[in-house]
Amino acid sequence: MRLLLIEDDDRIAGPLTEGLGRYGYTVDRARTGAAGLADATAAPDLVLLDLGLPDMDGLDVCRSLRAKSGVPIIMITARGEEADRIVGLELGADDYLAKPFGVRELVARIRAVTRRTTGALPIASPEPAGPPAAPGDGAQRLGPLEIDRRARHVRLDGREIALTPREFDLLAYLAQDPGAVHSRQQIMDAVWDPHFFGPTKTLDAHVAALRRKLGDPGWITTARGVGFRLTDPDRDMASEASG
């Protein structure tokens, strides 16, 4: 597995490269954001991105990477504030690791992100809630929303919605049983990992990003104190009107 490390500090990059090498990873290093964006054209398997780069903010690097690639991104940074984590995740990062950290913890996160982003998440395909899907196309429809698990595409009113790998996994998980409330812990265990190290606000950040991209917060509703559920807001409004 080939990793791209975008990190300007030799004191961090050297030991990190050596430590990851002991776990069998090949690490290519870029010292600036511009160099990292150029090196990313060689399609690494995963990007480790520092935010404090000398030429540009790592958040801008993340935004540029995500605009043209679905490569998994783990941010590694000294910025540990919740606001920074949420911004990074909403820009498309798949995980966020605050310094200092151990190589073993980083390897665990790399493995968890890889499992999520390579389609290894076991999700049963439920009966479609809307018009029936064509045989074999792997699509599920919920009103105007279509989720194609085989191609990992999402369309709303026929328009494709660009989601990060983690956002797709979250939406697909909630869509297993539309209308059912899934607890926060159930979602974290299934979509992230039972041994996820990150903050619980990670889930809230991804839900917020999905609501924004779907254009209506009614698609994902909150069951206060429990978790979240996926619903068709148009169908719910029609039910209320008829009632």
Side-chain angles (χ1 to χ4, degrees):
M1 185 174 181
R2 191 167 65 85
L3 311 178
L4 173 59
L5 171 63
I6 307 177
E7 168 65 69
D8 65 309
D9 193 335
D10 292 335
R11 295 169 299 177
I12 295 174
L16 200 53
T17 299
E18 181 181 349
L20 289 170
R22 290 199 296 268
Y23 283 87
Y25 296 103
T26 299
V27 181
D28 298 326
R29 181 194 173 190
R31 288 177 168 80
T32 66
L37 290 173
D39 291 350
T41 60
D45 297 305
L46 185 143
V47 173
L48 302 173
L49 174 62
D50 181 31
L51 296 189
L53 299 170
D55 61 334
M56 58 193 300
D57 194 294
L59 293 174
D60 292 328
V61 177
C62 180
R63 184 184 292 107
S64 297
L65 284 172
R66 188 55 70 227
K68 58 186 177 183
S69 171
V71 62
I73 300 171
I74 298 178
M75 290 182 171
I76 52 173
T77 177
R79 302 181 194 175
E81 295 297 323
E82 179 179 308
D84 290 321
R85 293 195 297 266
I86 291 175
V87 170
L89 293 167
E90 289 194 337
L91 286 175
D94 296 281
D95 204 348
Y96 192 113
L97 187 57
K99 301 172 184 175
F101 56 84
V103 172
R104 285 188 297 176
E105 180 180 1
L106 176 58
V107 168
R109 291 184 182 243
I110 290 171
R111 290 172 176 169
V113 166
T114 300
R115 286 196 298 271
R116 302 287 81 81
T117 58
T118 55
L121 181 66
I123 299 178
S125 178
E127 291 298 317
D137 72 358
Q140 176 192 358
R141 295 185 179 91
L142 179 64
L145 182 67
E146 178 182 330
I147 303 170
D148 189 332
R149 289 180 172 81
R150 292 176 62 188
R152 294 182 68 84
H153 287 164
V154 173
R155 294 178 178 84
L156 182 62
D157 292 320
R159 177 176 59 88
E160 185 156 349
I161 306 296
L163 301 181
T164 67
R166 187 62 57 79
E167 289 166 357
F168 178 89
D169 289 341
L170 172 57
L171 181 63
Y173 176 76
L174 293 175
Q176 287 184 100
D177 192 358
V181 175
H182 303 264
S183 74
R184 298 176 68 90
Q185 191 59 54
Q186 287 173 330
I187 297 170
M188 294 297 295
D189 288 351
V191 180
W192 275 261
D193 188 274
H195 306 292
F196 177 69
F197 297 96
T200 57
K201 288 295 184 181
T202 296
L203 173 57
D204 298 275
H206 280 76
V207 168
L210 270 178
R211 285 170 170 164
R212 185 178 67 252
K213 291 182 178 182
L214 293 174
D216 186 338
W219 277 106
I220 301 177
T221 58
T222 302
R224 191 176 298 277
V226 182
F228 301 96
R229 64 175 183 153
L230 181 69
T231 61
D232 178 355
D234 292 337
R235 180 172 296 180
D236 283 357
M237 289 179 62
S239 297
E240 292 177 5
S242 62

